[in-house]
């Protein structure tokens, strides 16, 4: 009986013990890695869609928001202050190429990142599609309407995937047309170049259609699938004798804003937008959200997640801090009756008036402020 037990039971027990030892040994690296990760700076990656001023400035403010909450990108600063915690921040830019954005999203989701921050609707969609297994926590911003982006965000503040949270910022398309009509009551025909592949652009264009119908404006549309085709689309619209060009929340058109403004100048018609940053380039006016403020809010939200709050327990938000830029230097080159009413000038956050100072300078003003700044400087750095 003793021999039988030895031959039949002991080998089984030995096998179980051996298996346990193997599992224990194989788990050691994971434990060591896990323990080490607690002492390592969190790995954060920020993905933006293109090199536009509003995205660049928002990205800078995201970093500022993180720092204000105690997460700094400089280990030395963290050590000196004794209060901050260093993070390793990787910045990526898809340069307005969706295939690149998708490739980057796949790469970062598969990487060892503690948090992904995305700026723009296309980047939100790219990362959400790659992150369907909830592998990485995700904070989004500079998104027109996340509820129609197809990423699982609903209308309720807590209706979002458990690993994702962020801020929606709908461009005020309706307000931009109301202001254009206020500046030129005779406005009848407006052209828009937009990319149907961009959900954010489709949202703004639909609002523009409804608003134009209400205001008695004919909206003429031309599609552009990439920045290279924006010029041709705009030329086709100008040939149809439009009174102005409008840029909505379309990243493709915004990336070619200089081209649209140049064509508008040649045709003596204005370009107006619902996205800040273009009046300084020569647009007649911008009315939209202050994306620097939004970026700061995104940074503070990302810091909450890094600090240990679960995204599932944080409501997603809507933030549209308003900002109005007027460019008085454009008026003199326009055909038609374009004029800024005094009431509108009083409401403006920033007024660009090249004639007010010496050449190569632009005066940016808001009530109680009148300081010159070189054209290449950031407006927000002076008046924001």
């Amino acid at each position: 009986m003793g021999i039988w037990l030895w031959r039949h039971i002991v080998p089984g027990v030995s096998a179980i013990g051996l298996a346990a030892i193997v599992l224990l040994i194989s788990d050691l690296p994971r434990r060591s890695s896990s323990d080490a990760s607690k002492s390592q700076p969190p790995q954060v990656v920020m993905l933006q869609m293109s090199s536009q001023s509003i995205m660049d400035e928002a990205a800078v403010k995201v970093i500022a928001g993180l720092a204000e909450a105690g997460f700094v990108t400089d280990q030395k600063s963290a050590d000196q202050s004794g209060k901050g915690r260093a993070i390793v921040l990787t910045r990526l830019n898809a340069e307005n190429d969706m295939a690149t954005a998708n490739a980057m999203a796949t790469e970062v989701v598969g990487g060892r990142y503690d948090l992904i921050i995305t700026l723009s609707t296309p980047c939100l969609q790219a990362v959400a599609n790659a992150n369907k297994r909830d592998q990485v926590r995700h904070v989004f911003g500079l998104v027109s309407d996340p509820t129609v982006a197809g990423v699982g965000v609903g209308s309720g503040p807590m209706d979002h995937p458990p690993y994702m949270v962020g801020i929606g910022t709908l461009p005020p398309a309706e307000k931009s047309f109301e202001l254009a009509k206020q500046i030129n009551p005779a406005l009848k025909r407006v052209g828009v170049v937009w990319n149907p592949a961009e959900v954010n652009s489709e949202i703004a264009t639909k609002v523009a259609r409804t608003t134009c119908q209400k205001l008695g404006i004919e909206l003429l549309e031309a599609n552009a699938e990439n920045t290279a085709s924006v010029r041709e689309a705009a030329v086709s619209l100008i040939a149809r004798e439009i009174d102005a060009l409008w840029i909505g929340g379309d990243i493709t058109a915004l990336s070619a804003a200089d081209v649209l403004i140049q064509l508008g100048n040649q045709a003596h018609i204005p370009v107006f937008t619902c996205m800040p940053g273009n009046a300084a380039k020569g647009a007649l006016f911008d009315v939209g959200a202050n994306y620097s403020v939004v970026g700061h809010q995104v940074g503070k939200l990302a810091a909450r997640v890094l600090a240990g709050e679960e995204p599932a327990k944080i409501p997603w938000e809507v933030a549209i801090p308003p900002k109005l830029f007027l460019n008085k230097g454009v008026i003199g080159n326009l055909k038609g009756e374009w004029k800024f009413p005094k009431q509108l000038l009083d409401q403006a956050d920033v007024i660009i008036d090249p004639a007010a100072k010496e050449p190569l300078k632009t005066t940016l003003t808001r009530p109680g402020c009148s300081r010159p700044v070189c054209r290449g400087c950031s407006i927000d750095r002076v008046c924001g």
Side-chain angles (χ1 to χ4, degrees):
M1 183 67 178
I3 296 174
W4 185 91
L5 284 171
W6 179 260
R7 288 180 177 178
H8 292 83
I9 296 178
V10 174
V13 173
S14 300
I16 293 171
L18 181 60
I21 292 171
V22 170
L23 286 173
L24 181 62
I25 293 173
S26 65
D27 192 46
L28 285 176
R30 286 198 294 269
R31 291 184 180 182
S32 299
S33 175
S34 176
D35 293 340
S37 66
K38 293 179 181 178
S39 62
Q40 294 297 317
Q43 299 283 328
V44 180
V45 59
M46 180 161 55
L47 173 59
Q48 69 184 75
M49 191 60 193
S50 64
S51 298
Q52 296 175 28
S53 59
I54 57 172
M55 286 195 188
D56 291 338
E57 290 170 12
V60 170
K61 293 297 184 178
V62 169
I63 298 170
L66 283 165
E68 187 175 307
F71 292 93
V72 297
T73 57
D74 181 12
Q75 180 69 57
K76 184 176 180 181
S77 298
D79 293 340
Q80 288 176 345
S81 67
K83 298 179 181 179
R85 181 181 178 187
I87 60 173
V88 177
L89 177 65
T90 301
R91 292 186 60 179
L92 300 175
N93 191 325
E95 295 298 355
N96 203 37
D97 186 274
M98 199 63 215
T100 300
N102 288 328
M104 287 179 171
T106 301
E107 185 71 22
V108 300
V109 167
R112 297 183 177 181
Y113 289 102
D114 298 289
L115 178 67
I116 300 173
I117 301 172
T118 56
L119 301 179
S120 77
T121 301
C123 287
L124 162 63
Q125 293 173 314
V127 169
N129 288 334
N131 199 29
K132 289 182 178 179
R133 294 183 180 180
D134 305 2
Q135 293 168 262
V136 192
R137 294 173 296 176
H138 179 185
V139 171
F140 62 82
L142 275 65
V143 173
S144 295
D145 185 354
T147 66
V148 298
V151 298
V153 177
S155 57
M158 304 305 297
D159 189 4
H160 57 82
Y163 60 91
M164 177 199 299
V165 69
I167 297 175
T169 309
L170 189 67
E174 181 177 9
K175 182 66 174 178
S176 64
F177 281 93
E178 290 173 348
L179 288 180
K181 192 73 171 178
Q182 186 179 350
I183 298 168
N184 182 3
L187 180 64
K188 293 296 183 183
R189 294 162 66 87
V190 176
V192 56
V193 178
W194 67 287
N195 185 350
E198 294 185 27
V199 173
N200 47 299
S201 184
E202 183 179 5
I203 294 169
T205 304
K206 286 181 177 179
V207 173
R209 290 170 187 160
T210 303
T211 304
C212 285
Q213 187 174 15
K214 180 178 66 176
L215 296 175
I217 298 172
E218 182 181 2
L219 185 67
L220 306 179
E221 303 176 27
N223 295 147
E225 296 181 356
N226 50 57
T227 53
S229 58
V230 168
R231 177 181 290 274
E232 182 179 354
V235 168
S236 71
L237 290 170
I238 293 172
R240 298 168 70 182
E241 299 183 353
I242 56 175
D243 300 317
L245 277 167
W246 174 67
I247 303 177
D250 189 278
I251 295 175
T252 301
L254 283 168
S255 298
D258 290 339
V259 172
L260 293 172
I261 291 169
Q262 179 189 43
L263 292 173
N265 286 338
Q266 293 171 357
H268 303 288
I269 62 173
V271 174
F272 65 95
T273 88
C274 58
M275 300 292 283
N278 296 289
K281 298 178 181 179
L284 179 62
F285 72 85
D286 299 326
V287 59
N290 187 333
Y291 283 97
S292 291
V293 173
V294 175
H296 188 265
Q297 293 174 333
V298 171
K300 296 294 287 288
L301 182 59
R304 291 173 61 184
V305 176
L306 285 173
E309 287 193 56
E310 297 180 23
K313 297 181 180 180
I314 304 175
W316 76 271
E317 309 171 29
V318 174
I320 314 176
K323 199 158 191 178
L324 174 61
F325 298 79
L326 304 179
N327 189 339
K328 295 178 70 175
V330 176
I331 293 285
N333 183 50
L334 303 178
K335 59 184 180 182
E337 298 297 323
W338 296 91
K339 183 179 180 181
F340 291 129
K342 183 180 183 302
Q343 180 183 6
L344 194 60
L345 290 168
D346 291 340
Q347 294 173 359
D349 293 278
V350 175
I351 298 174
I352 301 171
D353 187 359
K357 293 291 177 180
E358 66 270 25
L360 302 180
K361 294 283 186 177
T362 301
T363 299
L364 307 179
T365 65
R366 60 170 55 185
C369 170
S370 178
R371 289 181 289 179
V373 59
C374 296
R375 292 183 187 275
C377 291
S378 166
I379 289 175
D380 279 334
R381 202 180 308 158
V382 175
C383 293

